Amino acid sequence: MKIESWKINKWFVLLLTLVFILVGISPLIQDQTKQADLTSQKINYIKENRELLQAAIDSMKEQSAPEDLIKASEDELQAYQQILTGVRMHDEKQLLSGESAVAKIQLEKAEKGNLIGATIPELKRNYEELRFFQSSDIKWIDPFYTADLPASNFLFATFLEIPYPLLLSLGALLIALFCSYEHRKKTNDFLRSTPQSMLKIMSNKTGLLLIALASLLIVGTAGIFAITAVKNGVGNLNYPIFYLNQNEIVQQTTIIQYITLLLACTLLFFFLLILIGYLLQYFFKQFIPIFLCLEILILPLALGNLSDFLPATVAKFLPTSYWDFPRLLVGTTPFSSAGITLEKGLLILAVLILIFLTSNLFLAKKLAKGRIAS
């Protein structure tokens, strides 16, 4: 593996890592809306909701609506006032209490069929999240009205917002360059004449690439976190994330668990690309064909809006539909009716890894026998 490590351009790996970091922290260096502006926007939003709700209450009274519905709406009106007071006084406890009260009332209204808009599972997720923070020492971060997210929350938002296919493409670029190294440097014949077995050569190459790609992911993620921490503070890596699974049941994880699983899934995907790239180097001598073939697996993820024109009945048969890991980890998929889940995505990935690993082993043994025979 030491000999193979000479073929990895450390400066190029560093360059890819810097690109990853720059893309990740790009929201920090763009023009940011100041907290005062966001606070003003939230105040206006609450005021508008109060006015609409007051008008609805007046209308319900004129039409002799059920008393319990009127009472619930009046309680909601008071909760909105509590939110306003909490925002203006910078009283986080009062703000959270008002937010939680509104969420509870809206959920009860929806369950009785008196509220349209958000679904019951979405309202339940929102209420359980707010209720958790009411009884927790962890500070609630409003994702919509917080200008400078602490590093932990920023890191979570980063992986949901940055082009995930770009990160995968950075890895594919490194894989294609490394797998085409022998042909580009015209040392392929020399490599096959060495006393090392082809299986040993293959394990060294794949192992080294995995280490390089793991370094890219870990160092890049740590870099984004460190730079954001200097600017906005560290935050809490155990900050809870509430989401709906495929059965629309509220689930809970933490930022550190999410990041760890995401990096593991991404590294597993890189392992598949390594095996495919290693197989392709038997058939292609140039970097570009290998890179383009690897990009075929990434391109559908880059399109992003496939659900606008691709029916779910077709999407469920495409492996790439199951590999949007940043969103699948929090139960989000554009093809909600296709039964696309993280578990299926990992199963498909494992099967393909097994297929390409077996193919590589077969070719390595065949080449080894051919070398002995010659």
Side-chain angles (χ1 to χ4, degrees):
M1 186 175 287
K2 183 178 179 181
I3 295 176
E4 294 295 336
S5 67
W6 296 342
K7 301 173 185 177
I8 287 281
N9 189 324
K10 282 53 170 200
W11 292 107
F12 186 70
V13 176
L14 178 60
L15 176 62
L16 294 181
T17 305
L18 290 175
V19 171
F20 175 28
I21 292 174
L22 287 174
V23 172
I25 65 171
S26 58
L28 292 179
I29 57 182
Q30 295 172 358
D31 291 335
Q32 293 289 296
T33 303
K34 299 299 181 183
Q35 186 61 55
D37 295 334
L38 286 177
T39 301
S40 177
Q41 290 176 25
K42 179 161 188 173
I43 289 174
N44 291 334
Y45 172 75
I46 299 300
K47 283 183 176 179
E48 290 173 2
N49 281 348
R50 287 180 69 248
E51 290 172 1
L52 290 172
L53 185 58
Q54 183 62 66
I57 291 173
D58 294 339
S59 176
M60 284 187 287
K61 288 180 177 179
E62 291 177 0
Q63 299 175 13
S64 300
E67 287 297 325
D68 60 338
L69 177 57
I70 296 176
K71 177 65 168 57
S73 298
E74 289 176 338
D75 291 342
E76 185 179 358
L77 197 65
Q78 292 178 3
Y80 274 127
Q81 182 57 50
Q82 189 177 6
I83 295 173
L84 272 178
T85 303
V87 172
R88 287 169 174 164
M89 301 293 293
H90 303 288
D91 187 332
E92 294 179 2
K93 185 175 181 180
Q94 189 169 11
L95 167 62
L96 192 55
S97 177
E99 293 271 11
S100 180
V102 168
K104 181 180 180 181
I105 293 168
Q106 289 183 345
L107 174 60
E108 292 171 348
K109 281 185 175 181
E111 290 174 338
K112 294 177 180 179
N114 295 323
L115 183 71
I116 58 174
T119 65
I120 291 178
E122 289 171 342
L123 292 169
K124 187 175 293 185
R125 184 207 64 79
N126 187 43
Y127 173 58
E128 289 194 16
E129 178 179 354
L130 292 167
R131 187 177 61 175
F132 170 89
F133 284 105
Q134 274 190 294
S135 58
S136 171
D137 293 332
I138 300 176
K139 179 183 177 181
W140 178 60
I141 304 295
D142 189 335
F144 301 106
Y145 296 101
T146 303
D148 298 317
L149 292 173
S152 55
N153 298 77
F154 182 86
L155 196 60
F156 172 63
T158 293
F159 280 107
L160 288 175
E161 294 174 7
I162 66 170
Y164 184 57
L166 174 61
L167 175 58
L168 299 179
S169 295
L170 294 178
L173 182 61
L174 180 62
I175 293 168
L177 283 171
F178 189 70
C179 288
S180 63
Y181 180 90
E182 308 298 341
H183 292 297
R184 287 186 293 107
K185 299 297 182 179
K186 303 186 185 304
T187 59
N188 196 48
D189 292 336
F190 171 76
L191 179 68
R192 294 184 181 183
S193 65
T194 60
Q196 279 193 342
S197 69
M198 297 302 295
L199 291 177
K200 182 68 173 178
I201 293 171
M202 184 186 111
S203 63
N204 285 343
K205 282 183 176 291
T206 55
L208 183 63
L209 268 174
L210 273 177
I211 292 172
L213 290 167
S215 299
L216 166 67
L217 292 174
I218 295 171
V219 175
T221 301
I224 294 172
F225 182 83
I227 293 171
T228 311
V230 170
K231 183 177 183 295
N232 299 340
V234 174
N236 192 330
L237 284 170
N238 285 319
Y239 190 91
I241 300 168
F242 291 80
Y243 64 95
L244 298 173
N245 65 12
Q246 297 300 316
N247 297 319
E248 294 197 319
I249 297 174
V250 180
Q251 299 288 303
Q252 180 182 347
T253 184
T254 64
I255 288 176
I256 188 62
Q257 290 172 340
Y258 172 84
I259 297 299
T260 301
L261 282 174
L262 177 58
L263 295 183
C265 290
T266 304
L267 192 60
L268 196 62
F269 187 83
F270 278 150
F271 185 41
L272 173 63
L273 293 184
I274 290 171
L275 293 174
I276 294 174
Y278 196 83
L279 190 64
L280 290 172
Q281 57 99 24
Y282 291 120
F283 306 100
F284 298 108
K285 296 182 179 181
Q286 301 298 325
F287 150 77
I288 292 179
I290 297 177
F291 178 67
L292 291 178
C293 288
L294 296 180
E295 282 294 296
I296 289 175
L297 287 176
I298 300 171
L299 180 61
L301 293 173
L303 296 178
N305 59 347
L306 280 174
S307 58
D308 292 341
F309 59 88
L310 188 68
T313 51
V314 175
K316 67 181 180 181
F317 294 109
L318 298 178
T320 50
S321 299
Y322 296 82
W323 294 335
D324 190 358
F325 293 122
R327 288 162 184 79
L328 280 177
L329 280 168
V330 287
T332 304
T333 170
F335 305 102
S336 55
S337 60
I340 292 172
T341 64
L342 173 68
E343 292 76 15
K344 290 180 182 178
L346 292 175
L347 177 61
I348 294 172
L349 198 56
V351 170
L352 289 177
I353 285 174
L354 183 61
I355 291 173
F356 282 100
L357 180 60
T358 304
S359 301
N360 274 295
L361 290 172
F362 173 77
L363 276 176
K365 288 182 179 180
K366 187 175 181 180
L367 288 172
K369 290 180 180 179
R371 186 171 65 180
I372 294 172
S374 61

